[in-house]
């Protein structure tokens, strides 16, 4: 569904002053949460052995808020470590990425990370893309009020399989911004395919991407199983979203949050584990789970700098630069 073009901002010049009239961001919705495709994908994931639910279904409106809360937890270091790198290296990163381009924010969420880059990157246009359409709409409207001079476009899109930006994203060189190590939620093979699509979506432009690095497994484990239980709530809320989309009857209390670091695969695994035997039903299907049986909900791969650099080069990026924090916990790359 395409929404009508919103009122554009006008810059009125009078002899002694310039007045910027506030504008509403243009919003393009190319994603329907409760589509037949989504229901088919969910039903086949639940029927599979082992069962799985794709992590993109975490992000309904409540899931997006729970994720925001995760980023503030003492145990969840990625967001603040990445923000510290972006702040400390703002000048060199902007020099590498280029100023005055269209900044395309993939998985924009609350748009805060990109907003903090505006001073250094001075984007001419900001395109915020996210699957969580209503959450994005509100966040973008707030950001537009704070930056009335920047043209802003919101795109409701599931870009996990294809990265087809609408024409409203504009032309001219783009910096694609993919922060937070969301790339880690793909397998390395899927990540490389995604990086290839990102390169194709920014001809003559570049990619600014955050990547979580391998570290002590106690630090990693705590980040995905926090003492407050927010990550557990985020994981279980997935079932509430599936109930809405698939009209299934998951009882959230039947499921326990499980998260651990698999060193050999270099990834955090998240699962939901049945507390006792339970049958889940939805229109046209059902699945019995034995006590202790798990539904896989997320992988979060952790990289070494050289391995991620190789992934970028394998995706066709010939030029890469990387910055890390003092502890070597997180890396920010610019790749062209
Ligand atoms: C969005 N993504 C990068 C997060 C991560 O760390 O893999 C999602 C998350 N899952 C649990 N906590 C955070």
């Amino acid at each position: 569904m395409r929404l009508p073009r919103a009122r554009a901002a006008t810059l009125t010049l009078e002899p002694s002053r310039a007045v910027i009239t506030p504008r509403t961001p243009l919003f393009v919705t190319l994603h329907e949460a409760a589509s037949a495709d989504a229901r088919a994908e969910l039903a086949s994931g639940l029927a599979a052995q082992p069962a799985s639910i794709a992590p993109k279904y975490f992000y309904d409106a409540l899931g997006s808020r729970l994720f925001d809360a995760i980023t503030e937890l003492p145990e969840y270091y990625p967001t603040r470590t990445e923000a510290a790198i972006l702040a400390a290296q703002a000048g060199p990163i902007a020099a590498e990425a280029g100023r005055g381009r269209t900044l395309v924010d993939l998985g924009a969420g609350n748009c805060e990370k990109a907003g903090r880059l505006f001073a250094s990157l001075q984007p001419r246009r900001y395109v915020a893309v996210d699957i969580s359409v209503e959450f994005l709409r509100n966040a973008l409207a707030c950001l537009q009020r704070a930056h009335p001079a920047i043209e802003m476009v919101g795109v409701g899109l599931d870009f996990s399989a294809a990265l087809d930006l609408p024409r409203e994203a504009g032309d001219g060189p783009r910096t694609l911004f993919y922060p937070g190590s969301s790339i880690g939620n793909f397998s390395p093979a899927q990540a490389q395919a995604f990086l290839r699509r990102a390169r194709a979506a920014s001809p003559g432009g570049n990619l600014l991407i955050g990547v979580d690095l391998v570290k002590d497994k106690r630090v990693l484990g705590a980040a995905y199983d926090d003492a407050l239980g927010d990550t557990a709530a985020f994981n279980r809320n997935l079932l509430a979203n599936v109930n809405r989309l698939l009209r299934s009857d998951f009882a959230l209390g039947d499921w326990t949050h499980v998260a651990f670091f698999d060193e050999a695969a270099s990834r955090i695994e998240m699962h939901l584990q049945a507390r006792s035997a339970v049958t889940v039903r939805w229109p046209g299907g059902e699945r019995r789970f034995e006590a202790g049986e798990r539904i896989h909900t997320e992988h979060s791969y952790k990289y070494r700098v050289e391995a991620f650099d190789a992934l970028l080069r394998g995706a066709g990026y010939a030029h890469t630069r990387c910055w890390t924090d003092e502890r070597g916990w997180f890396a920010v790359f610019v790749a062209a």
Side-chain angles (χ1 to χ4, degrees):
M1 178 179 67
R2 279 175 187 253
L3 300 175
R5 179 171 278 273
R7 181 165 50 98
T10 46
L11 179 67
T12 315
L13 283 174
E14 291 171 16
S16 57
R17 62 199 170 115
V19 182
I20 296 175
T21 315
R23 56 173 138 190
T24 315
L26 172 63
F27 211 95
V28 185
T29 303
L30 303 171
H31 172 67
E32 191 202 335
S35 65
D37 285 356
R39 285 195 297 276
E41 182 183 31
L42 288 167
S44 88
L46 288 176
Q49 211 50 270
S52 68
I53 302 172
K56 65 185 177 187
Y57 295 105
F58 280 129
Y59 302 96
D60 63 354
L62 179 57
S64 297
R65 286 195 197 97
L66 289 167
F67 178 67
D68 270 4
I70 286 175
T71 65
E72 296 188 16
L73 293 170
E75 296 96 330
Y76 195 76
Y77 61 85
T79 311
R80 75 181 67 89
T81 309
E82 180 182 54
I85 298 170
L86 289 170
Q89 305 295 343
I93 288 174
E96 196 67 35
R99 297 183 171 86
R101 299 176 170 218
T102 293
L103 181 64
V104 180
D105 187 0
L106 298 173
N110 62 19
C111 304
E112 265 178 26
K113 289 178 187 170
R116 280 189 236 115
L117 293 175
F118 285 0
S120 57
L121 292 183
Q122 298 163 18
R124 56 187 286 268
R125 183 184 300 115
Y126 171 59
V127 181
V129 185
D130 206 291
I131 191 171
S132 190
V133 177
E134 287 317 310
F135 190 78
L136 178 63
R137 197 188 290 278
N138 293 334
L140 193 62
C142 287
L143 193 68
Q144 179 79 86
R145 279 195 289 279
H147 299 274
I150 299 178
E151 182 189 340
M152 294 194 187
V153 181
V155 183
L157 175 69
D158 170 12
F159 57 85
S160 58
L163 188 46
D164 299 324
L165 293 172
R167 64 181 158 70
E168 286 83 350
D171 41 23
R174 294 170 174 165
T175 292
L176 262 58
F177 180 44
Y178 197 40
S181 201
S182 292
I183 192 75
N185 298 136
F186 293 116
S187 71
Q190 291 168 335
Q192 192 159 66
F194 175 83
L195 292 171
R196 253 184 233 116
R197 292 196 293 274
R199 194 165 162 270
S202 57
N206 50 41
L207 173 69
L208 170 57
I209 185 166
V211 184
D212 198 11
L213 301 178
V214 177
K215 61 187 65 61
D216 187 313
K217 69 188 230 182
R218 283 164 302 186
V219 175
L220 287 165
Y224 291 84
D225 197 4
D226 59 283
L228 201 56
D230 187 20
T231 310
F234 172 73
N235 201 6
R236 266 195 292 268
N237 177 65
L238 178 63
L239 300 180
N241 193 26
V242 172
N243 280 347
R244 224 170 3 253
L245 298 174
L246 188 61
R247 284 182 281 131
S248 52
D249 63 355
F250 278 103
L252 275 55
D254 290 347
W255 299 86
T256 317
H257 167 67
V258 175
F260 56 88
F261 184 59
D262 176 338
E263 255 172 313
S266 198
R267 68 185 182 210
I268 288 282
E269 291 195 12
M270 285 204 336
H271 303 261
L272 287 162
Q273 181 170 308
R275 290 184 200 273
S276 53
V278 61
T279 298
V280 179
R281 297 183 175 83
W282 60 90
E286 64 174 44
R287 166 82 188 255
R288 179 179 161 83
F289 293 92
E290 301 304 333
E293 202 174 343
R294 290 174 179 175
I295 303 174
H296 172 258
T297 56
E298 186 177 62
H299 283 154
S300 194
Y301 281 84
K302 309 302 167 187
Y303 285 92
R304 296 187 192 281
V305 165
E306 315 73 53
F308 196 76
D309 195 71
L311 207 64
L312 284 166
R313 289 176 188 275
Y317 290 97
H319 181 82
T320 62
R321 254 198 92 179
C322 166
W323 296 263
T324 63
D325 57 295
E326 279 169 5
R327 293 183 293 197
W329 280 12
F330 201 93
V332 170
F333 285 81
V334 173

